[in-house]
Every structure is written in structure tokens, then in C-alpha cells.
Amino acid sequence: MGKLITLDEFIYQRQKDFPFSTGELSGLLRDIGVASKIINREVNKAGLVDITGLTGEVNVQGEAVQKLDEFADATLIDCLRNSGEACGYASEEQDSFHTISTFDNANAKYIVLFDPLDGSSNIDVNVSIGTIFAIYRRKTDAGECKLGDFLQRGRELVAAGYVIYGSSTMLVYTTGNGVNGFTLDPSIGEFCLSHPDIRIPEEGNMFSTNIGYYSFYPEYVKDYIRFCMDETEDKKPYSLRYIGSFVADFHRNLIKGGIFMYPASKQQPEGKLRLMYECNPLAFLVEQAGGRATTGTRDILDIYPDELHQRVPLFIGSKHMVDMIETYCTDAILQTG
Ligand code: AHG
Ligand code: MN
Ligand code: MN
């Protein structure tokens, strides 16, 4: 077995790759790692303590809030507040963004957006869930954060990643120099490097979408799904794999190859997934791993955001598969004019 490299050691080693780095981003990544270990501890015993089920509240998304959503949200906020490296945050569970106005954080230069718990509907049925985070430099110089600090294109991301609470707990992140995955070793309480330099296969044979919405999808999406299911001389039918947790579906496709699709539909004209803390961070990460992410007509990372919780249609995963559905989409537009 190779040398055990913990997340902290790895971050410290990579920090030396940036001669002018001052360790602030490293500190922020470490603190997000701590928050995910605390969340993991509650996720692993959710069924035993009264932390599953609903709070009875509805969030800004109009979705029922799970107790574990709130716990994860509060844990991340506390860790960011204690880190001294973030001057503000925005969360799926918070109506608006927040400035962290403690003395230590006032001069911090990073802001963090996060989905504290992705796949909440799966909590009570013991299916993998996750946390997604996105880190930008603030645009304003100091003081109270402004909306413009948060509404930045994905191309401006400094770092992004996710944690998947599954058969094992993994943290996967990028700072724009490749993608690396760390598996939590509960016996020592450390994330250890387990998947160095992750590359997504350019081709895959799995597709992920909620096929229950098939009749609501645009024709070009139906055409592509039929292509996935077709058998031809040089193609076997692809497997449909859909967990209902974006992080879990994404992670499987990142490792094995595949495409995840949450298109616009009659019922959801902008799709469902949120640009700022679901689509952008994973689009940044998948591009770093050699994959792609598009709305069907534009790269996700090129979108200038209009609002914090905006939704976008999403096709993300293996490059050749995403290229293909993008061709289906643009051909459909050319045909309809
Ligand atoms: P969240 O739990 O953060 O609201 O995200 C749930 C998302 C995403 O994780 C998943 O891919 C998608 O909702 C599933 O939506 P459907 O149930 O409509 O398929
Ligand atoms: Mn989510
Ligand atoms: Mn969520």
C-alpha cells in the first residue's frame, strides 16, 4: 500500500505549487473537510437520533426542509465562521447571502456557496446523499458582501467540490489543477488520498435521468434517450442509473463514465438543479477531469447568473456523450428555426 496522504497533507503540499499562496484557501478547504466529517457523523446515525424526517418548514425553493438539511447547513456555517477565511456565504437553505462579520473574517477574501445536503429525499431511505461547495474570491474590497460577490460565472471559481456520504464517505475537489478524491478512514478520522488525478472516461455506457418525466421532455432529449436505449451493430443499449441524489449520480459517472441529464421540461421550464451551488461547482470539477457540462446550448460555466437560486437545464459527464446531446439540441433549434 502506498504512503498514506491525508487531505491536510495534500492541501499543504499543493499549496507549495502556488508560490504566492498565503494558506487562506488551504485553511478554508481544511475547514470544509472538518464540517463534512461532522455532517458524516450525523448522517451515519440519522436513523438512531431524532434527526431524520421533516422540520415542517419549507425553504426558499418551496421544498420541505429535512432536519438533516438544517443540521448540515448550520454545521457548514459554523465551520466557515470559525475558519476566519470566508467573508460570506450563500446556501440552498438560506433565502439570501450572508456576510460573516466576525473580526477574524472581516478581511477574508473568499466567499462560499453550498448545497449543504444534496439528495435530501433519500435521507430516510438510507440512500447516498452529499454536500456540494463552490469557492470564489470576493469582488468587493472589504466590508459587507454584495450580491455581485456571489453572482459570478463558474469560470471565476477558485475551488469546488463535493462530499458523498455513501458506502464510504469521500471528498472530491479541484482548485483548477486536476481533481483528487479522498476517502474518510473512520478509524483515524482523516480523509486519505484514494483517487489521485481523477479523469472521467470520454465515453460511457450509462445515462442518468428521471425517466418518469420522459413525456414532458423536449423531443431532442427523447431522441437522445432512445439513442441510449438502442442496440445497433456497434452499440449495446446503455444502462439507466438514477439515484435521485445528484452528487451520487455524478460521482458514479465521473468514475465510470456516463451522462447525467436534468433537462428543461413543460413542468420545469428551467430544469430543477440550481446553477450557483449544484451545476457550477460540478461543471468546474468535471471540466478539470476532462468532461463537459452544458445547458444544451451553452457551457454551464459561461452563464452570467441573474439570481442566487436560479435553475438551469443540465447535461453533465463524459465529453463525447455531452457533445452528442448538445448536437441533438442545436440540430433541433436549426430545424425549428
Ligand atoms: P436537494 O436535495 O439538494 O434539493 O437536491 C435534490 C436534487 C438532486 O440531488 C437530484 O438529482 C434531483 O433533485 C432529483 O430530482 P427528481 O426527484 O425530480 O428526479
Ligand atoms: Mn441538491
Ligand atoms: Mn440540498
Side-chain angles (χ1 to χ4, degrees), residues 115-128:
D115 177 356
L117 211 67
D118 173 71
S120 306
S121 61
N122 283 321
I123 292 171
D124 295 356
V125 293
N126 206 19
V127 169
S128 300

Side-chain angles (χ1 to χ4, degrees), residues 92 115 117-120 210 213 242 244 246 262 272 274 278:
E92 178 194 14
D115 177 356
L117 211 67
D118 173 71
S120 306
N210 187 332
Y213 301 154
Y242 192 72
F246 177 33
Y262 210 109
K272 175 181 184 181
R274 278 59 52 126
E278 289 175 313

Side-chain angles (χ1 to χ4, degrees), residues 148-192:
D149 289 318
F150 295 87
L151 295 187
Q152 299 187 50
R153 290 187 310 150
R155 296 271 175 230
E156 315 294 324
L157 278 163
V158 170
Y162 61 88
V163 182
I164 177 168
Y165 311 102
S167 46
S168 64
T169 296
M170 275 192 73
L171 186 148
V172 181
Y173 83 95
T174 182
T175 56
N177 284 283
V179 177
N180 291 281
F182 301 79
T183 299
L184 182 64
D185 180 340
S187 67
I188 58 172
E190 290 282 3
F191 280 108
C192 302

Side-chain angles (χ1 to χ4, degrees), residues 5-234:
I5 300 177
T6 67
L7 175 64
D8 285 11
E9 286 168 337
F10 184 88
I11 291 171
Y12 177 70
Q13 280 173 9
R14 285 299 176 94
Q15 179 183 312
K16 289 188 279 188
D17 295 349
F18 298 92
F20 307 106
S21 74
T22 52
E24 290 159 314
L25 179 61
S26 300
L28 189 49
L29 288 167
R30 276 198 297 273
D31 291 311
I32 291 172
V34 170
S36 55
K37 284 192 264 189
I38 296 169
I39 296 168
N40 176 66
R41 184 188 62 202
E42 292 307 301
V43 165
N44 285 346
K45 61 181 183 182
L48 297 174
V49 296
D50 181 24
I51 196 166
T52 57
L54 301 171
T55 61
E57 291 150 36
V58 173
N59 65 15
V60 64
Q61 324 283 341
E63 294 164 345
V65 178
Q66 301 269 357
K67 291 176 186 170
L68 215 45
D69 282 321
E70 271 188 348
F71 176 83
D73 197 43
T75 300
L76 277 158
I77 293 168
D78 285 349
C79 281
L80 292 179
R81 197 182 295 284
N82 298 334
S83 78
E85 307 301 358
C87 59
Y89 65 87
S91 162
E92 178 194 14
E93 302 303 332
Q94 304 282 329
D95 295 9
S96 180
F97 64 89
H98 296 269
T99 299
I100 303 176
S101 46
T102 56
F103 175 76
D104 295 345
N105 295 64
N107 298 318
K109 62 184 173 196
Y110 295 110
I111 58 110
V112 185
L113 297 105
F114 51 86
D115 177 356
L117 211 67
D118 173 71
S120 306
S121 61
N122 283 321
I123 292 171
D124 295 356
V125 293
N126 206 19
V127 169
S128 300
I129 50 184
T131 295
I132 309 172
F133 61 90
I135 301 173
Y136 291 93
R137 277 186 197 77
R138 70 179 302 170
K139 290 283 194 190
T140 49
D141 294 332
E144 289 286 308
C145 293
K146 299 283 186 282
L147 185 56
D149 289 318
F150 295 87
L151 295 187
Q152 299 187 50
R153 290 187 310 150
R155 296 271 175 230
E156 315 294 324
L157 278 163
V158 170
Y162 61 88
V163 182
I164 177 168
Y165 311 102
S167 46
S168 64
T169 296
M170 275 192 73
L171 186 148
V172 181
Y173 83 95
T174 182
T175 56
N177 284 283
V179 177
N180 291 281
F182 301 79
T183 299
L184 182 64
D185 180 340
S187 67
I188 58 172
E190 290 282 3
F191 280 108
C192 302
L193 182 63
S194 54
H195 296 67
D197 195 21
I198 298 175
R199 304 293 293 169
I200 184 170
E202 289 200 325
E203 197 61 76
N205 58 15
M206 283 186 277
F207 69 107
S208 310
T209 193
N210 187 332
I211 209 75
Y213 301 154
Y214 179 86
S215 61
F216 304 144
Y217 285 165
E219 280 310 310
Y220 79 89
V221 175
K222 293 179 181 176
D223 291 343
Y224 180 72
I225 290 172
R226 281 193 290 272
F227 164 79
C228 289
M229 298 193 289
D230 269 352
E231 180 171 28
T232 62
E233 274 174 27
D234 51 7

